[in-house]
Amino acid sequence: MRIAIGSDHAGFELKGMLAAFIREMGHEVTDVGTHDTQPVDYPDFAKAVGMAVLEGQAERGVLICGSGVGASVAANKLVGIRAGLCHDTYSAHQGVEHDDMNVVVVGSRVIGVELAKELVGAFLRAKFTGEERHMRRLNKVRALEAHSPSLQG
């Protein structure tokens, strides 16, 4: 699978470790930045990861910032991105299985390296079930995106 990975300065070190881990799992990794620890704005990298997924350059994305909250909020502004902030393995795989989550977000100042690897592993191994109830709910999410007042006029 092709994976886009990105972070702000707070997630830079963890991003490098997770990119190596993802490659060890046998996936192709595209690092969309940042490329050092100089302060940057997390929305830029949320956009870069999200656009890589939306444009078909990657099947899924991994996004890291200090808490994970800001990057998650920013990524979810892109229509078609379903980013979930995860701190437990159940949410990391269930978000894909039930909600077709295509970006996992982690907070580098909230969790450690080993848990981050477990979360990313669970996210990447998971498959969307496509069950009727999950499709129905996903279609309702898409309808919300299509009718968002912020997207009109």
Side-chain angles (χ1 to χ4, degrees):
M1 191 177 338
R2 292 170 298 147
I3 310 301
I5 190 168
S7 72
D8 67 0
H9 56 284
F12 172 73
E13 289 184 35
L14 181 57
K15 178 174 62 81
M17 291 179 239
L18 289 177
F21 173 73
I22 294 166
R23 286 185 185 100
E24 289 170 13
M25 290 182 70
H27 301 290
E28 180 184 325
V29 176
T30 300
D31 184 340
V32 300
T34 194
H35 300 292
D36 58 41
T37 57
Q38 293 300 307
V40 293
D41 298 333
Y42 63 82
D44 298 334
F45 301 96
K47 179 181 179 182
V49 168
M51 292 307 295
V53 172
L54 293 172
E55 293 173 352
Q57 299 163 11
E59 282 92 356
R60 294 196 190 159
V62 175
L63 190 53
I64 308 125
C65 73
S67 68
V69 174
S72 179
V73 168
N76 280 306
K77 297 300 180 188
L78 296 169
V79 173
I81 292 300
R82 293 170 302 281
L85 173 58
C86 296
H87 294 135
D88 63 273
T89 55
Y90 176 78
S91 297
H93 70 80
Q94 188 269 343
V96 175
E97 294 163 354
H98 292 196
D99 307 310
D100 202 20
M101 179 173 73
N102 52 17
V103 174
V104 68
V105 185
V106 296
S108 64
R109 294 177 177 157
V110 179
I111 62 171
V113 175
E114 293 308 312
L115 178 54
K117 288 178 182 179
E118 288 181 32
L119 298 174
V120 168
F123 167 70
L124 295 178
R125 286 188 295 273
K127 305 281 187 245
F128 180 56
T129 68
E131 292 178 26
E132 185 279 327
R133 65 189 169 118
H134 300 143
M135 288 301 303
R136 182 180 68 246
R137 294 167 186 161
L138 183 56
N139 287 333
K140 288 182 178 186
V141 169
R142 289 179 177 140
L144 289 171
E145 286 178 332
H147 294 96
S148 174
S150 64
L151 298 176
Q152 297 174 357

